[in-house]
Amino acid sequence: GIQVEQSPPDLILQEGANSTLRCNFSDSVNNLQWFHQNPWGQLINLFYIPSGTKQNGRLSATTVATERYSLLYISSSQTTDSGVYFCAVARFPGANNLFFGTGTRLTVIP
Amino acid sequence: DVKVTQSSRYLVKRTGEKVFLECVQDMDHENMFWYRQDPGLGLRLIYFSYDVKMKEKGDIPEGYSVSREKKERFSLILESASTNQTSMYLCASSFGLAGDLIETQYFGPGTRLLVL
């Protein structure tokens, strides 16, 4: 399978601060998604972004497919941003068979 | 809104018991998935299904089986539960035909299974 490495493993921020989470992957991919898992365990899809840049409110993501990495930016962080952020990738054939990284645990303190 | 529900949030079973975990989605999705999540390992795919009565092995199928008799329901079965199957189990679903049509996966709330 594809190896997925996320950094940093843990991050503690003051409310209002900005952060960048990184995802490196070991092979070319056709599918890359970012997820947020809240403290109660619910996983929510944030972005489908195999290449390029997308923005959704305070969150944005950039994937540089040729260099095999993706970045998730969180601006003006809020306590509700706390949780674990996962990057997941896949490639043809089997592009719905996602390989997940081990996640970045973000804690935002008021 | 897409809704994926799982039959239990918490479950305690004894070694050797047969365990059924059920997942139901209400959006007529073709694809359904079962993952387990363990600390330090992220999520790993156990099985997925792209149609009724169809199933494909994921990365860690050993000790598990699945059943998909209806489009909206995907069951994960532990034939004889063991302590190393203590984990968080997550179900997901997505639109898409078999194979490579990429769609967002929607996750259920998870089932925390403890095997004693």
Side-chain angles (χ1 to χ4, degrees), chain A residues 22-59:
Chain A
R22 187 177 179 103
C23 171
N24 291 334
F25 42 95
S26 62
D27 206 342
S28 59
V29 299
N30 307 105
N31 184 356
L32 188 148
Q33 299 184 30
W34 282 96
F35 294 87
H36 173 229
Q37 187 172 38
N38 67 23
W40 297 271
Q42 180 69 57
L43 264 162
I44 303 294
N45 183 281
L46 299 174
F47 293 104
Y48 163 65
I49 186 166
S51 63
T53 297
K54 287 187 178 179
Q55 180 153 7
N56 185 2
R58 295 182 296 104
L59 302 181

Side-chain angles (χ1 to χ4, degrees), chain A:
Chain A
I2 307 170
Q3 305 303 309
V4 183
E5 294 182 359
Q6 291 186 243
S7 60
D10 293 281
L11 189 57
I12 300 174
L13 295 176
Q14 200 80 39
E15 199 169 24
N18 302 329
S19 61
T20 301
L21 283 58
R22 187 177 179 103
C23 171
N24 291 334
F25 42 95
S26 62
D27 206 342
S28 59
V29 299
N30 307 105
N31 184 356
L32 188 148
Q33 299 184 30
W34 282 96
F35 294 87
H36 173 229
Q37 187 172 38
N38 67 23
W40 297 271
Q42 180 69 57
L43 264 162
I44 303 294
N45 183 281
L46 299 174
F47 293 104
Y48 163 65
I49 186 166
S51 63
T53 297
K54 287 187 178 179
Q55 180 153 7
N56 185 2
R58 295 182 296 104
L59 302 181
S60 64
T62 295
T63 297
V64 183
T66 53
E67 297 187 23
R68 299 182 186 170
Y69 73 89
S70 182
L71 302 174
L72 177 69
Y73 305 97
I74 304 173
S75 64
S76 304
S77 57
Q78 300 175 358
T79 55
T80 52
D81 295 331
S82 295
V84 183
Y85 290 81
F86 289 101
C87 169
V89 303
R91 63 167 181 257
F92 299 135
N96 281 294
N97 185 351
L98 290 170
F99 292 93
F100 281 76
T102 53
T104 291
R105 181 174 297 277
L106 174 64
T107 303
V108 181
I109 54 178

Side-chain angles (χ1 to χ4, degrees), chain B residues 64-102:
Chain B
Y64 303 95
S65 61
V66 290
S67 171
R68 192 158 180 209
E69 297 295 321
K70 293 185 178 181
K71 191 175 185 180
E72 68 271 17
R73 189 180 298 269
F74 191 35
S75 300
L76 180 69
I77 303 155
L78 287 65
E79 295 288 342
S80 177
S82 62
T83 54
N84 63 14
Q85 292 178 309
T86 291
S87 188
M88 168 80 134
Y89 291 87
L90 290 154
C91 174
S93 71
S94 72
F95 284 115
L97 300 175
D100 297 330
L101 184 63
I102 298 167

